Amino acid sequence: MLSDFGYEVGRWDISRFKERDPQDTFTALGLEWSLLPDVWPGSAVATGLFTSWLPFEEADTFLEVGCGSGVTAITAAMHGCSRVCALDISPAAVENSRLNAVRHGVSERITVLNSDLFSELDPSDTFDLIYWNSPFVEAPTSHRYESQLDYAVFDSDYAMHRKFFADASRHMTEGARVFLGFSDTMGNSARMGELAERAGFAGSAYRREVLNLPIDVPGVPVPGGTMDVDYVLYEFQRA
């Protein structure tokens, strides 16, 4: 069932981003990164948690869907993955990831493509570890995507999740693992799990953390102004 609360918080989060003071750098995982306009900064709580949890050392090749500013893909390259590919539907995010790959000296090991999920990959491209910090806020079918930022937060009718699971297996090496960054508090984990199962995946929570965060959404009562929000890294393998 679509979470009205998650949807309203998602809209509030985007409005906060648009109203923030302009910035061209941010800090994440102890490093400084370049930031272009209209790209979600990798300093977000979810990015830091999920990136620090991923088992890069167990993979030789790594694929990130929805790379944003490139923090996770670049971290994979810095942690020993010999071939890294990063995809994003936003041209600004693609350029941002390329800038950060150069900034951190791993540009020769990273390919960054402007891609709608897996659309621009060669059919023969396969990876040991595939990761997506998904837009876990389920939006109604009537939702209007007003900017590229919306694609980082909202998934109308979970159409992108459906396509992700349907196509991911084509790009998996033998024994590959698929990881999905999610929030049960904000998203629809039951529906996400059903879509994965229909596509032939078995999944479970790999790691979870609950944080108490300030929430100030107009019209949404939050006692004390804070609430517990969980962040969950789900792992999927072929059933």
Side-chain angles (χ1 to χ4, degrees):
M1 180 178 178
L2 186 148
S3 167
D4 292 336
F5 171 77
Y7 184 57
E8 290 304 321
V9 172
R11 293 174 63 187
W12 168 72
D13 213 17
I14 284 184
S15 68
R16 280 199 313 162
F17 175 86
K18 291 178 177 178
E19 293 168 1
R20 83 193 197 294
D21 293 333
Q23 61 184 102
D24 56 14
T25 63
F26 65 90
T27 301
L29 302 177
L31 297 172
E32 190 170 84
W33 307 77
S34 299
L35 182 66
L36 296 179
D38 299 322
V39 178
W40 204 268
S43 54
V45 170
T47 301
L49 290 175
F50 298 147
T51 302
S52 66
W53 295 344
L54 285 165
F56 299 119
E57 67 283 354
E58 299 176 21
D60 183 48
T61 56
F62 176 80
L63 171 67
E64 181 179 15
V65 178
C67 58
S69 53
V71 169
T72 305
I74 290 164
T75 301
M78 295 170 71
H79 280 70
C81 292
S82 67
R83 183 168 67 94
V84 175
C85 185
L87 312 174
D88 206 290
I89 196 172
S90 164
V94 169
E95 178 62 21
N96 205 152
S97 291
R98 288 173 178 161
L99 286 172
N100 279 320
V102 171
R103 182 178 190 130
H104 293 292
V106 294
S107 58
E108 292 184 357
R109 277 186 282 149
I110 294 184
T111 300
V112 189
L113 300 174
N114 187 194
S115 182
D116 182 358
L117 295 177
F118 306 100
S119 66
E120 297 306 308
L121 285 181
D122 188 282
S124 64
D125 280 342
T126 57
F127 301 87
D128 302 326
L129 198 160
I130 297 174
Y131 165 70
W132 185 30
N133 182 358
S134 80
F136 44 72
V137 175
E138 184 180 15
T141 54
S142 59
H143 178 78
R144 292 181 58 218
Y145 288 83
E146 297 178 352
S147 73
Q148 294 288 343
L149 290 173
D150 279 44
Y151 290 97
V153 178
F154 300 113
D155 186 3
S156 180
D157 198 34
Y158 268 19
M160 285 187 278
H161 284 79
R162 184 182 300 109
K163 185 167 178 56
F164 174 84
F165 286 116
D167 294 345
S169 60
R170 302 174 190 174
H171 300 287
M172 297 170 65
T173 58
E174 186 68 29
R177 304 161 75 183
V178 175
F179 287 88
L180 194 76
F182 204 80
S183 171
D184 293 347
T185 308
M186 305 285 291
N188 187 341
S189 56
R191 189 167 187 207
M192 180 270 289
E194 290 171 4
L195 294 172
E197 186 175 354
R198 286 182 202 168
F201 286 96
S204 60
Y206 179 78
R207 188 161 173 181
R208 178 192 309 266
E209 186 162 333
V210 178
L211 301 177
N212 189 258
L213 301 177
I215 304 290
D216 185 20
V217 183
V220 178
V222 178
T226 65
M227 70 170 293
D228 289 341
V229 176
D230 74 340
Y231 292 95
V232 190
L233 186 63
Y234 281 98
E235 179 182 1
F236 297 89
Q237 292 178 304
R238 292 185 181 95

